[in-house]
């Protein structure tokens, strides 16, 4: 055998070593005989080492290639040996195995958490629950009657244009806001009604730092005998103080929505600068958090409530915007991209 190491070309010898060693590994019946195979072939004075000592007799131009082959053989044998070690270990009865050290701490893995927008929605719902509101839900695939007509938005009205959306079929669309849940709840239940309806809405909007074609809204509706603007303001103030903190001020700005009259945009004093003016509030000291108003009697008529007997208020907010304010998230896309590294901070 050793005479073969003198041969000019070692490749054949290496091939012999490879096949003989693989066979020996395969035949090994326990760890001790496997160890013996390892020493015989891969040991310091083993077959492979001895064969390689003949490398200097190989003509220089063939040496790199032969060296490469030798390395490959070595790696193959080492890997096969390792696999065989595992294979033999698995055959040993559990009680004969050496005790496993279980004290090594595992690598921590993030198991997931509540998304910041969901967290905001849940908090909003919890606060309004204290005022007697329950959760309601409606379908994301809506009829244009619920989405527009019942809410006093004629289909040819500019307010409907602002809600340009995805039509699925004649008269069927992806809802552009959660307000149609108002109509659904009122058609199902007699007053008093106090509901919050969180959910996904869809619009033909761009996907950029402050827009998304699909986003969450939370709708609120309260209807009863004798609800007036003062109760409405008190409810919103209560919510703002509970959610943003007792020092936060509220401002009602006149606005227009077809389904409320009067309508107001609700601003809160900027929770980042406290109202003195910063980039987040565009130096105004105020940030808008919702659209709202007293329910328009036309909506009561559409759903079959007596507008002479009942009054109410409604509001709609975007929890993603609120989450961005609260957690100082500069770009809304961060909320939609399911990047665990980013979301983990809020869990
Ligand atoms: N639905 C409106 C929107 O998506 C938001 C809104 C405004 C809801 C006023 C309301 C409301 O209930 O009273 O732009």
């Amino acid at each position: 055998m050793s005479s073969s190491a003198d041969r000019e070309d070692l490749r054949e010898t290496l091939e012999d070593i490879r096949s003989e060693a693989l066979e020996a590994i395969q035949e090994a019946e326990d760890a001790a005989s496997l160890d013996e195979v390892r020493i015989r072939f891969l040991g310091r004075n083993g077959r492979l080492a001895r064969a390689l000592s003949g490398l200097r007799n190989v003509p220089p131009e063939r040496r790199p290639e032969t060296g490469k082959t030798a390395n490959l053989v070595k790696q193959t044998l080492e890997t096969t040996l390792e696999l065989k070690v595992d294979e033999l270990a698995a055959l040993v009865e559990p009680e004969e195995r050496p005790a496993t050290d279980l004290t090594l701490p595992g690598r921590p893995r993030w198991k997931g958490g509540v998304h910041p927008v969901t967290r905001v929605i849940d908090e909003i719902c919890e606060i309004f629950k204290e005022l007697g509101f329950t959760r309601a839900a409606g379908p994301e695939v809506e009829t244009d009657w619920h989405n527009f007509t019942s809410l006093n938005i004629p289909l040819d009205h500019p307010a409907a244009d602002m809600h340009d959306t995805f039509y699925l079929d004649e008269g069927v669309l992806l809802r552009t806001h959660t307000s149609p849940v108002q109509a659904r709840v009122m058609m199902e239940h007699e007053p008093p009604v106090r509901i919050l309806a969180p959910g996904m809405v869809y619009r033909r909007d761009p996907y950029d730092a402050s827009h998304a074609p699909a986003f969450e809204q939370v709708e609120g509706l309260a209807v009863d005998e004798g609800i007036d603007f003062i109760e409405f303001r008190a409810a919103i103030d209560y919510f703002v103080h509970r959610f943003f903190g007792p020092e936060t001020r509220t401002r009602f700005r006149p606005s227009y929505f077809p389904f409320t009259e009067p309508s107001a945009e609700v601003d809160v004093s900027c929770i980042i600068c406290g109202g003195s003016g910063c980039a987040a509030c565009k130096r105004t000291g105020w940030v808008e958090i919702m659209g709202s108003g007293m329910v328009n009697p036309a909506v009561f008529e559409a759903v079959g409530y007596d507008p002479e007997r009942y009054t109410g208020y409604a509001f709609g907010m975007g929890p993603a915007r609120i989450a961005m304010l609260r957690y100082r998230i500069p770009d809304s896309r961060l909320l939609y991209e399911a990047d665990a590294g980013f979301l983990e901070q809020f869990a």
Side-chain angles (χ1 to χ4, degrees), residues 293-316:
M294 300 301 290
V295 179
N296 192 320
V299 176
F300 289 147
E301 258 156 37
V303 299
Y305 276 10
D306 179 357
E308 296 299 328
R309 184 169 169 199
Y310 297 112
T311 51
Y313 60 88
F315 53 88

Side-chain angles (χ1 to χ4, degrees), residues 163 176-179 182 203 215 217 219-220 257 259-260 263-264 290-294 313-317:
H163 288 218
T176 60
H177 51 177
T178 43
S179 302
Q182 291 188 29
R203 291 192 195 173
F215 59 98
Q217 279 194 340
E219 190 78 16
F257 299 102
F259 35 94
T260 44
S263 302
M290 64 172 95
S292 67
M294 300 301 290
Y313 60 88
F315 53 88
M317 43 189 148

Side-chain angles (χ1 to χ4, degrees), residues 18-56:
R18 200 181 86 100
S19 53
E20 281 171 44
L22 287 177
E23 203 176 314
I25 293 169
Q26 218 37 59
E27 279 168 5
E29 274 171 357
D30 51 35
S33 52
L34 198 59
D35 226 35
E36 200 217 297
V37 174
R38 184 202 306 279
I39 293 164
R40 180 144 53 94
F41 289 92
L42 295 171
R44 214 190 304 168
N45 199 26
R47 294 266 309 271
L48 193 63
R50 274 188 280 137
L52 283 178
S53 69
L55 197 59
R56 64 183 122 86

Side-chain angles (χ1 to χ4, degrees), residues 150-228:
S150 71
L151 296 165
N152 196 35
I153 311 173
L155 290 175
D156 57 2
H157 191 275
D161 289 353
M162 271 164 54
H163 288 218
D164 205 3
T165 185
F166 304 94
Y167 281 85
L168 301 172
D169 206 346
E170 186 78 15
V172 180
L173 44 76
L174 294 183
R175 68 180 179 192
T176 60
H177 51 177
T178 43
S179 302
V181 184
Q182 291 188 29
R184 287 191 174 271
V185 168
M186 288 190 279
M187 312 246 316
E188 278 278 312
H189 303 279
E190 286 301 310
V193 159
R194 277 184 173 77
I195 56 107
L196 278 191
M200 224 49 190
V201 304
Y202 302 87
R203 291 192 195 173
R204 263 196 55 201
D205 275 351
Y207 185 52
D208 62 26
S210 53
H211 295 87
F215 59 98
E216 310 259 8
Q217 279 194 340
V218 181
E219 190 78 16
L221 173 71
V223 183
D224 203 348
E225 282 180 38
I227 292 186
D228 56 13

